[in-house]
Amino acid sequence: WLATLNNKANQSTYSVKAKHIINASGPWLNSFLETAVPSLSPRRKIRLIKGSHIVVPRIKGGDEAFILQNKDKRIVFVLPYQQHFSIIGTTDKEYQGDPAEVQIDEWEVDYLLEVFNEHFLQDLGKEDIVSSYSGVRPLCDDESDDPSAITRDYTLELQQQGSKNALISIYGGKITTYRKLAEAVLDKLQAFYTRPLKTWTASSSLPGCDYFGQSRESIRHQLERDFKWLPSELAQRFSCSYGNRCRLFLRDATHVEGLGKHFGHGLYSAEVDYLIEFEWAHSVEDILWRRSKLGLHFNQEQLLALDSYIQTHKVAMHSSEQHKAMLMEA
């Protein structure tokens, strides 16, 4: 396969070669095939099912998880969220729009509040909502009339482009089964290899762990021993968010001020630099919502200060890349 890729950050274009392509593009699954590989037709239809959640201050007794059985036979979860919030969700509704523009509807807010208020003595209103988020699930179209009844299982479709190169599309599925799904993809690819593709993820630690089975609590305790100046709240968040990878931005500091500019709520420039360099963060939304949930706490002034820093950082990185390119050409 020859794939032409566009870097949106600097508008550069480059090409890469690959033996196989795994189409794990979620709601863009079939549109990817139609635009990038028009020679291959999608094997299955998908239905986009929208789900929304609301975030409220931690409810009384909300350190536990609750499953609410609603009269429409759906269930709604009330879960502890971060340290100071509870999350209520989710809804199920077919979605026809652009997946990138999905957002909560008024009826979804009313629905979730109604379900919650029917089960708890503590009533919630719209004024209690701190935040909300929505997403779409790309589920296989099994022609069910009820969005809640559509299968959440995944289906893999193998489409060959010659005898040695495959394209595998992943229809449906949930992130909670990502390891088993990855092994199922390897099973599909086995026909293209003479050596066995062994499964290994069940006993492999995730990035940030020093060994299989290491807990977040043990990582936090070790951070507090190695960085005695680190506030316990930061040690807790870093161990949960990064594991031991946080040492990449902690290692040169000897006090909390050594982490650089403080944007508020425990976010320092050292962490921001790490997210930009190692975790592909490009914007305020990336850092405060997609890489953390610190956006629940930030005010407008703090948002603007962080955005200004990110833009300056990106300009500096771009200039450095241009300088390196000029030296290579010379």
Side-chain angles (χ1 to χ4, degrees):
W1 292 95
L2 178 65
T4 302
L5 309 178
N6 178 44
N7 185 337
K8 285 186 175 182
N10 58 24
Q11 298 304 313
S12 63
T13 300
Y14 58 99
S15 297
V16 296
K17 291 182 178 180
K19 288 185 178 180
H20 311 293
I21 292 178
I22 311 302
N23 179 13
S25 51
W28 293 274
L29 187 81
N30 283 347
S31 61
F32 164 77
L33 290 174
E34 292 163 358
T35 56
V37 199
S39 60
L40 297 179
S41 300
R43 291 277 180 84
R44 293 175 177 265
K45 294 180 180 180
I46 60 173
R47 290 170 67 179
L48 301 183
I49 306 301
K50 175 186 176 184
S52 298
H53 297 77
I54 56 175
V55 181
V56 298
R58 182 66 62 89
I59 65 170
K60 189 175 181 180
D63 293 339
E64 308 296 335
F66 297 89
I67 301 176
L68 312 183
Q69 180 69 62
N70 195 31
K71 55 191 176 185
D72 62 3
K73 298 184 179 180
R74 291 194 66 257
I75 59 173
V76 169
F77 294 93
V78 180
L79 306 173
Y81 192 61
Q82 302 299 305
Q83 290 184 322
H84 306 292
F85 302 94
S86 295
I87 188 169
I88 306 171
T90 181
T91 55
D92 264 313
K93 182 70 174 179
E94 191 145 6
Y95 183 75
Q96 303 290 345
D98 181 354
E101 302 297 329
V102 64
Q103 57 184 338
I104 195 167
D105 290 322
E106 196 70 22
W107 72 264
E108 293 178 292
V109 173
D110 294 337
Y111 175 84
L112 294 174
L113 288 175
E114 181 182 355
V115 175
F116 178 90
N117 290 338
E118 285 182 352
H119 289 81
F120 286 84
L121 294 175
Q122 170 191 352
D123 270 8
L124 293 177
K126 292 181 181 179
E127 67 279 2
D128 296 307
I129 298 175
V130 177
S131 181
S132 66
Y133 69 89
S134 302
V136 290
R137 296 182 286 270
L139 305 181
C140 281
D141 187 359
D142 59 7
E143 301 183 355
S144 172
D145 293 331
D146 181 3
S148 298
I150 302 174
T151 178
R152 267 57 175 169
D153 202 0
Y154 58 80
T155 301
L156 305 181
E157 289 290 350
L158 170 63
Q159 294 176 275
Q160 291 185 227
Q161 188 82 352
S163 60
K164 295 183 178 180
N165 306 107
L167 185 147
I168 296 177
S169 293
I170 303 172
Y171 288 86
K174 299 189 72 172
I175 195 169
T176 44
T177 59
Y178 72 99
R179 287 195 175 200
K180 293 297 290 184
L181 193 157
E183 291 181 356
V185 170
L186 284 181
D187 287 341
K188 283 282 187 183
L189 289 176
Q190 184 61 72
F192 297 87
Y193 293 87
T194 55
R195 58 181 176 83
L197 300 176
K198 297 181 179 179
T199 59
W200 52 271
T201 66
S203 58
S204 176
S205 60
L206 292 172
C209 288
D210 289 337
Y211 55 86
F212 182 68
Q214 186 179 22
S215 69
R216 289 179 296 184
E217 281 299 301
S218 67
I219 292 174
R220 179 175 66 84
H221 291 318
Q222 189 62 51
L223 288 176
E224 291 175 337
R225 285 193 293 267
D226 294 346
F227 304 95
K228 298 186 185 305
W229 51 266
L230 187 65
S232 59
E233 189 171 347
L234 280 184
Q236 172 72 15
R237 184 168 71 81
F238 291 164
S239 62
C240 290
S241 297
Y242 310 108
N244 282 314
R245 286 185 62 79
C246 66
R247 293 173 180 272
L248 292 172
F249 60 83
L250 291 176
R251 60 190 176 191
D252 294 329
T254 56
H255 46 78
V256 72
E257 290 77 13
L259 295 176
K261 179 178 175 61
H262 185 221
F263 299 100
H265 309 287
L267 181 68
Y268 292 84
S269 57
E271 182 181 358
V272 174
D273 294 347
Y274 164 83
L275 288 169
I276 293 173
E277 184 174 357
F278 292 99
E279 298 200 11
W280 297 3
H282 291 280
S283 66
V284 167
E285 289 78 13
D286 283 345
I287 289 171
L288 295 186
W289 294 107
R290 300 185 183 97
R291 307 300 188 277
S292 73
K293 294 295 180 285
L294 292 174
L296 291 165
H297 308 281
F298 267 58
N299 61 36
Q300 189 62 29
E301 183 180 353
Q302 293 165 332
L303 289 172
L304 292 173
L306 176 59
D307 182 62
S308 176
Y309 179 84
I310 293 171
Q311 299 310 317
T312 302
H313 192 288
K314 287 167 66 175
V315 169
M317 286 184 64
H318 183 60
S319 299
S320 177
E321 290 173 358
Q322 286 184 321
H323 181 64
K324 288 180 183 177
M326 291 172 62
L327 290 176
M328 291 178 67
E329 289 177 2

